[in-house]
């Protein structure tokens, strides 16, 4: 990993992170672009990223999530999904990238897009959180309304490198590591940084499977570790848009969407090189998560 930065005072690389929460520590706040939602043409700075992750963690605390609990998150390509996962990791929770009945285990919170809310029923003891439009389910929490009103000052929960970061992983994705620890997830991110030579002037278009820990590590965590930018291809929705994203209902990113995201990435402040994960679209380099060392 190089130590190149866009401007003095911007976010520096974080190659020695031991838990995922280190990537959104308060010391990393800066105006540099961290997340770009291509379909919305909206950029979130590292200041936005770190604060919103902390706010999302606080909202999860308010709905009852405690260290060691599981937060089930619908795996769509959307900034809210990334912010929720980062917030969960900050407060010491485990992320399950699924909301399918029987697969989310004893999740303490279930986070789903408004479009699929009617197809999801939170069991007793599980809080339902909805992003996008306001929820229609009695007692459900509206992600945007609560997160944007939250105070980001609460400290993160103690977490160790061996704690579980992602649970309920498809065995075909990581056959030798179910569940996936913080150490392993960051190891995959570091391998992606090295393999694709990601640095602070690199934008990574995250077009891989949003339920795959390897794609999460390469498309989201690798650019953040390198102080670069992750670009969300958040336009495509699942084929059945009123049902949760699932193995048979994945939000696909076609080459048109990926190409548009690559073009948008080239316009971002400080970006000199674009890498795609799970697609090409005219990027300078591509990265396949499955090719990375375990």
């Amino acid at each position: 990993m190089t130590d190149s930065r866009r401007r003095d005072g911007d976010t520096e690389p974080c190659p020695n992170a031991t838990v995922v929460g280190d990537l959104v520590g308060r010391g990393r706040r800066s105006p540099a672009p961290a997340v770009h939602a291509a379909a919305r043409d909206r950029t979130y700075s590292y200041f936005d990223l770190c604060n919103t992750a902390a706010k999302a963690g606080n909202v999860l605390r308010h709905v009852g999530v405690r260290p060691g609990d599981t937060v089930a998150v619908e795996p769509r390509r959307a900034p809210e999904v990334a912010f929720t996962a980062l917030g969960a990791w900050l407060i010491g929770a485990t992320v399950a990238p699924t909301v399918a009945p029987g697969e989310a285990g004893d999740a303490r919170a279930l986070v789903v897009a408004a479009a699929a809310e009617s197809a999801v029923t939170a069991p007793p003891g599980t809080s339902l959180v909805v992003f996008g439009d306001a929820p229609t389910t009695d007692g459900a929490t509206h992600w945007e309304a609560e997160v944007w009103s939250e105070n980001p000052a609460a400290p993160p929960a103690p977490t160790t490198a061996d704690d579980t970061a992602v649970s309920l992983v498809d065995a075909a994705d990581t056959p030798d590591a179910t569940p996936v620890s913080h150490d392993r997830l960051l190891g995959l991110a570091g391998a992606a940084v090295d393999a694709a030579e990601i640095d602070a002037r690199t934008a990574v278009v995250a077009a891989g499977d949003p339920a795959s820990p390897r794609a999460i590590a390469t498309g989201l965590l690798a650019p953040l570790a390198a102080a670069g930018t992750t670009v969300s291809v958040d336009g495509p929705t699942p084929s059945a848009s009123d049902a949760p994203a699932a193995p048979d209902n994945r939000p696909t990113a076609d080459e048109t969407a990926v190409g548009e995201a690559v073009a948008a990435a080239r316009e971002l402040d400080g970006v000199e090189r674009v890498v795609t994960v799970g697609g090409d679209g005219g990027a300078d380099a591509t990265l396949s998560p499955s090719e990375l060392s375990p």
Side-chain angles (χ1 to χ4, degrees), residues 38-173:
R40 307 178 195 183
D41 192 25
R42 179 169 181 180
T43 301
Y44 302 84
S45 67
Y46 272 88
F47 185 92
D48 299 327
L49 173 76
C50 297
N51 279 356
T52 306
K55 290 180 177 186
N58 283 342
V59 170
L60 293 173
R61 278 194 178 109
H62 288 328
V63 301
V65 178
R66 299 292 179 262
D69 286 346
T70 296
V71 177
V73 184
E74 184 186 2
R76 296 199 180 207
R77 293 186 181 88
E80 295 86 355
V81 171
F83 294 146
T84 298
L86 291 166
W89 288 320
L90 268 177
I91 66 170
T94 296
V95 173
T98 177
V99 294
E103 294 182 9
D106 297 323
R108 188 63 186 85
L110 190 156
V111 184
V112 64
E117 178 192 356
S118 62
V120 173
T121 301
T126 299
S127 299
L128 180 63
V129 181
V130 177
F131 63 88
D133 294 334
T136 58
T137 305
D138 289 342
T141 297
H142 187 197
W143 193 96
E144 285 84 353
E146 297 302 322
V147 166
W148 301 133
S149 66
E150 264 295 335
N151 185 328
T159 306
T160 71
D162 293 329
D163 286 341
T164 300
V166 181
S167 65
L168 304 172
V169 179
D170 184 349
D173 178 56

Side-chain angles (χ1 to χ4, degrees), residues 209-291:
D209 181 354
S212 161
R214 289 175 182 266
I216 292 169
T218 55
L220 173 64
L221 303 185
L224 298 184
T229 306
T230 179
V231 179
S232 171
V233 186
D234 61 339
T237 57
S239 300
S241 60
D242 58 350
D248 58 352
N249 189 36
R250 282 278 183 261
T252 58
D254 59 29
E255 284 306 303
T256 298
V258 175
E260 291 173 351
V262 169
R266 296 193 187 282
E267 299 299 318
L268 297 177
D269 178 35
V271 169
E272 296 181 352
R273 182 169 170 271
V274 180
V275 173
T276 63
V277 175
D280 182 2
D284 300 304
T286 61
L287 184 63
S288 171
S290 62
E291 294 175 355

Side-chain angles (χ1 to χ4, degrees), residues 189-210:
V193 169
D194 293 339
E197 299 182 344
I198 299 169
D199 65 12
R201 299 181 183 275
T202 304
V204 177
V205 175
D209 181 354

